Amino acid sequence: MATSTAPASNAFDDARSQLRAVAGRIGLDAGMLDVLSNCIREFTVNFPVLMDDGSVRVFTGYRIHHNEVRGPVKGGLRYSLNVSLDEVRALSMWMTWKCAVVGLPYGGAKGGVVVDPRALSKGELERLTRRFATEISVIIGPDEDIPAPDMGTDGQTMAWIMDTYSMLRGHSVPAVVTGKPVSIGGSVGRVEATGRGVLFTAMKACADRGMSLKGARVAVQGFGNVGSVAAKLLDDAGAIIVALSDTNGAIYKEDGLGDIDAILAAQRQHGFIPEGHPGVHITNQELLALDVDILIPAALEGQIHRGNAGAVRAKMIIEAANGPTTPEADAVLNAAGVFVVPDILANAGGVVVSYFEWVQDLQSFFWEEHEVETRLQRIMDRAYDEVKAIREREQCTMREAAYILGVSRVVEAIKVRGIFP
Ligand code: NAD
């Protein structure tokens, strides 16, 4: 398995350090910095699951609320063996800034279970999900906390959570989760939303930098929900996808990998990008160092770190994953002139369409796909322009500008609401 060999980095330390970096620029006092550096609610559950062989296993899960000053909290649920308290804390903090950057009336949350979902049968996964949903049912709800899919979870996971929560309440509550199948109150366009948002971001970023997206050479790390859709849509838009990867390693072809749908079909059949594709097999580390126009990390956090940032040759990085670049790597990339569009802007398409889904559920009135896409593009474009204007005014990076925008909006809400009591 060719995964990145990042020096141990703690995502929550990184998230806090990104916040501190902007604190001086916007004049945050020590008390406000302390408020924002901590998560308001951290819920840990250890729960039993009956396995297919009759044994009982205890799993650990988390649901963390970082900040709810701008509205109910929102964020995904991750199933992975790497899930930890600090990872979930970091992801929930990033959700707070992301929702604020794109102007959604939400605070930030995240959750996860320490499990390799691929090692469980479908029945075991359903029992695990339903029991976890029951455990966290005391803190989730359409007005409080609305989970969504993330790594290792999907529409089926959300359907089980929605059904479990509805059974506990005695009536259907579709708005308790987003990313559900359309048949039970999901939104058209939600599955593609994060990848589509990455496409819209790439279009804006290329125009911003005087680059052409058509013909741009692109490498994508991570070929899951986000990476595969981004690759397909960028390919459709005329970019040349030269490399793709998953946990099994990467494939590379200098003049383009060709039919993305065929690679996706083969991946679905084998569970990973298979051997035998026309591209040569390289490692994930080699993918990150390819001489491309656009690098899209779409796997997990901490992938571009101080140990490999110097090797990056891409002109532009569009962060589809959450937290793929550590603060130390950021400094190296900036010094080298690599243009980085940060996660809290670039991958916000998912939460934007989750917001549309929640609004549709609350109104029991559903939109057509073109309305979802048009509204998504409008919000992504507006957020990009607002971040760009701050970058130009403050002479700072896109990440700093996005943090200035997101954190300032949260601070403003805290100040106007006041500290209770
Ligand atoms: P996913 O589970 O569908 O796919 C993850 C992909 O990354 C898989 O192809 C996996 O093989 C690959 N991967 C995992 N570890 C890797 C490694 N070390 N090297 C290379 N590839 C690796 O997950 P997803 O929903 O596509 O999420 C990907 C990222 O995007 C995460 O950071 C997630 O938090 C972020 N994100 C997701 C959404 C969403 O709507 N799903 C929204 C915003 C951000």
Side-chain angles (χ1 to χ4, degrees):
M1 189 168 92
T3 53
S4 168
T5 48
S9 101
N10 178 304
F12 194 42
D13 288 346
D14 289 350
R16 283 177 146 173
S17 140
Q18 288 164 338
L19 173 63
R20 274 196 307 275
V22 88
R25 279 186 179 270
I26 59 172
L28 276 191
D29 63 45
M32 190 64 84
L33 180 59
D34 210 12
V35 169
L36 298 177
S37 297
N38 290 286
C39 299
I40 58 165
R41 223 166 271 127
E42 303 187 337
F43 196 42
T44 301
V45 292
N46 301 297
F47 56 97
V49 177
L50 185 61
M51 308 305 283
D52 289 346
D53 66 2
S55 65
V56 172
R57 266 180 69 189
V58 173
F59 290 86
T60 298
Y62 308 101
R63 187 70 187 167
I64 293 182
H65 299 171
H66 171 254
N67 188 286
E68 61 185 358
V69 74
R70 286 172 48 88
V73 291
K74 189 95 191 71
L77 284 176
R78 182 174 285 195
Y79 286 181
S80 156
L81 288 176
N82 293 326
V83 165
S84 68
L85 207 45
D86 272 350
E87 185 190 60
V88 181
R89 285 173 173 146
L91 289 162
S92 71
M93 183 187 280
W94 288 326
M95 283 307 296
T96 302
W97 313 141
K98 190 186 305 181
C99 291
V101 165
V102 285
L104 303 182
Y106 286 141
K110 205 78 182 190
V113 178
V114 186
V115 59
D116 176 2
R118 305 218 295 192
L120 267 56
S121 71
K122 191 168 179 193
E124 290 169 336
L125 217 43
E126 177 172 354
R127 291 193 290 280
L128 175 141
T129 300
R130 287 185 180 279
R131 180 62 189 249
F132 179 58
T134 307
E135 298 289 342
I136 63 170
S137 66
V138 291
I139 60 164
I140 64 171
D143 298 324
E144 293 97 23
D145 172 2
I146 307 113
D150 193 74
M151 285 184 71
T153 60
D154 58 15
Q156 177 63 77
T157 323
M158 296 306 116
W160 288 328
I161 296 175
M162 179 273 202
D163 185 70
T164 303
Y165 187 86
S166 299
M167 291 300 113
L168 294 172
R169 293 290 174 277
H171 60 97
S172 283
V173 190
V176 65
V177 286
T178 57
K180 302 176 292 293
V182 171
S183 57
I184 56 168
S187 176
V188 288
R190 173 60 186 91
V191 173
E192 301 81 15
T194 310
R196 191 172 294 285
V198 169
L199 168 71
F200 292 149
T201 305
M203 287 160 59
K204 290 292 283 185
C206 282
D208 187 6
R209 306 307 286 173
M211 273 168 63
S212 168
L213 183 58
K214 211 170 162 46
R217 299 173 74 252
V218 180
V220 183
Q221 184 204 34
F223 197 56
N225 175 281
V226 177
S228 65
V229 174
K232 167 80 181 125
L233 294 177
L234 284 161
D235 181 63
D236 289 349
I240 301 165
I241 310 298
V242 297
L244 290 170
S245 73
D246 61 17
T247 47
N248 206 42
I251 49 172
Y252 170 63
K253 194 155 181 285
E254 198 178 348
D255 57 353
L257 289 166
D259 188 352
I260 305 298
D261 281 333
I263 301 171
L264 194 54
Q267 190 219 34
R268 286 209 175 109
Q269 191 189 343
H270 298 270
F272 49 84
I273 300 172
E275 307 275 339
H277 183 276
V280 291
H281 281 254
I282 59 173
T283 65
N284 261 293
Q285 285 307 298
E286 288 166 332
L287 178 145
L288 295 173
L290 286 174
D291 187 5
V292 289
D293 296 303
I294 306 176
L295 173 62
I296 303 188
L300 61 167
E301 58 274 6
Q303 290 300 295
I304 305 173
H305 47 78
R306 79 180 133 81
N308 63 8
V312 169
R313 285 185 289 164
K315 294 187 183 67
M316 180 188 289
I317 295 178
I318 296 183
E319 294 185 337
N322 285 306
T325 311
T326 67
E328 288 165 321
D330 228 7
V332 175
L333 296 172
N334 292 334
V338 181
F339 185 73
V340 181
V341 187
D343 47 5
I344 58 172
L345 173 63
N347 72 30
V351 73
V352 170
V353 177
S354 272
Y355 167 63
F356 296 164
E357 180 176 334
W358 179 73
V359 168
Q360 292 171 75
D361 287 338
L362 293 178
Q363 299 181 337
S364 297
F365 182 76
F366 291 87
W367 309 352
E368 290 181 19
E369 191 149 8
H370 71 90
E371 292 175 273
V372 170
E373 280 181 27
T374 309
R375 287 172 194 260
L376 170 63
Q377 185 161 20
R378 205 180 300 148
I379 291 179
M380 295 299 294
D381 285 359
R382 184 188 63 201
Y384 191 98
D385 289 340
E386 285 176 334
V387 171
K388 182 182 169 201
I390 295 173
R391 177 191 87 209
E392 287 170 355
R393 188 188 73 212
E394 299 287 324
Q395 293 292 304
C396 62
T397 65
M398 285 295 276
R399 191 185 312 281
E400 287 164 333
Y403 267 75
I404 290 172
L405 182 63
V407 177
S408 299
R409 284 180 172 162
V410 176
V411 169
E412 186 189 333
I414 293 176
K415 285 187 174 159
V416 77
R417 282 181 63 158
I419 302 289
F420 180 83

